[in-house]
């Protein structure tokens, strides 16, 4: 287009936000490469419906507003202007909120429950239109008594 398109071309405030997400993308390089390899080997999509990862969970077949990025990251976008809170369905397993490190599992009840499954209500701080905080949960795996995860936000 002939217009400047470097990160710094959009002002200091936008630069800070874009740089943060650029750095996250770079830190996820190995994970994203693994997803591309998996897609090449067996056709698995990078962006997956919830039922793709949790086919036995009936609720996952109904969800239309959250998805998995590969098998580890549950993404729950905010879709509406001036909306800073939403409900997120967490399938069975251990989940870590990447914003605050809080871990949810089958024994934690946060918000309402549906047949033993958790619904987490996420409040997104009203910071610069919510651009800096994204609703992202990561699947965590217990190793001994510690939790291994790759929180990125």
């Amino acid at each position: 287009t002939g217009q400047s398109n470097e990160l710094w071309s959009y002002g200091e405030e936008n630069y800070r936000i874009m740089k943060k997400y650029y750095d996250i993308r770079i830190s996820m390089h190995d994970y994203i490469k693994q997803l591309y390899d998996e897609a090449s080997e067996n056709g698995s999509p990078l962006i997956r419906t919830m039922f793709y990862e949790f086919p036995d969970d009936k609720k996952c077949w109904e969800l239309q507003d959250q998805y998995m990025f590969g098998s580890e990251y549950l993404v729950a976008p905010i879709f509406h202007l001036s909306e800073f809170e939403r409900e997120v369905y967490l399938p069975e397993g251990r989940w870590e909120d990447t914003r605050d490190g809080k871990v949810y599992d089958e024994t934690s009840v946060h918000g309402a429950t549906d047949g033993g499954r958790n619904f987490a209500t996420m409040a997104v701080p009203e910071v610069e239109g919510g651009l800096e905080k994204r609703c992202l949960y990561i699947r965590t795996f217990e190793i001994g008594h510690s939790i291994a995860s790759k929180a990125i936000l």
Side-chain angles (χ1 to χ4, degrees):
T1 63
Q3 299 297 318
S4 297
N5 61 0
E6 293 84 4
L7 294 181
W8 56 84
S9 301
Y10 301 96
E12 188 61 35
E13 186 177 349
N14 290 323
Y15 170 78
R16 190 172 39 79
I17 295 169
M18 289 187 285
K19 175 80 166 86
K20 174 185 175 182
Y21 287 103
Y22 173 79
D23 290 343
I24 289 170
R25 179 179 174 270
I26 295 302
S27 73
M28 294 182 72
H29 179 268
D30 292 341
Y31 179 71
I32 294 170
K33 182 184 180 319
Q34 173 189 334
L35 292 180
Y36 277 114
D37 290 345
E38 187 180 346
S40 176
E41 291 168 11
N42 64 24
S44 293
L46 279 65
I47 305 294
R48 304 170 182 180
T49 60
M50 295 298 294
F51 65 79
Y52 186 89
E53 286 297 320
F54 305 97
D56 297 329
D57 187 333
K58 292 179 184 177
K59 179 68 179 170
C60 286
W61 287 82
E62 301 168 9
L63 297 170
Q64 297 181 8
D65 62 351
Q66 64 185 61
Y67 61 90
M68 296 294 294
F69 179 54
S71 61
E72 294 183 25
Y73 293 93
L74 187 157
V75 182
I78 298 282
F79 287 108
H80 306 288
L81 184 64
S82 299
E83 182 177 67
F84 300 100
E85 184 175 281
R86 65 157 295 165
E87 200 171 74
V88 178
Y89 179 73
L90 301 176
E92 190 172 326
R94 295 179 70 96
W95 297 93
E96 180 181 339
D97 187 331
T98 61
R99 297 166 303 145
D100 61 13
K102 185 169 182 178
V103 175
Y104 301 93
D105 60 22
E106 291 83 12
T107 62
S108 60
V109 178
H110 181 69
T113 60
D114 176 31
R117 305 277 202 251
N118 290 326
F119 281 93
T121 300
M122 297 188 309
V124 181
E126 192 169 339
V127 177
E128 298 178 5
L131 287 176
E132 289 195 73
K133 299 285 186 178
R134 291 292 173 220
C135 300
L136 185 68
Y137 285 83
I138 183 168
R139 217 174 189 176
T140 60
F141 305 93
E142 193 164 336
I143 300 173
H145 294 289
S146 63
I147 296 174
S149 67
K150 294 184 266 183
I152 59 170
L153 291 179

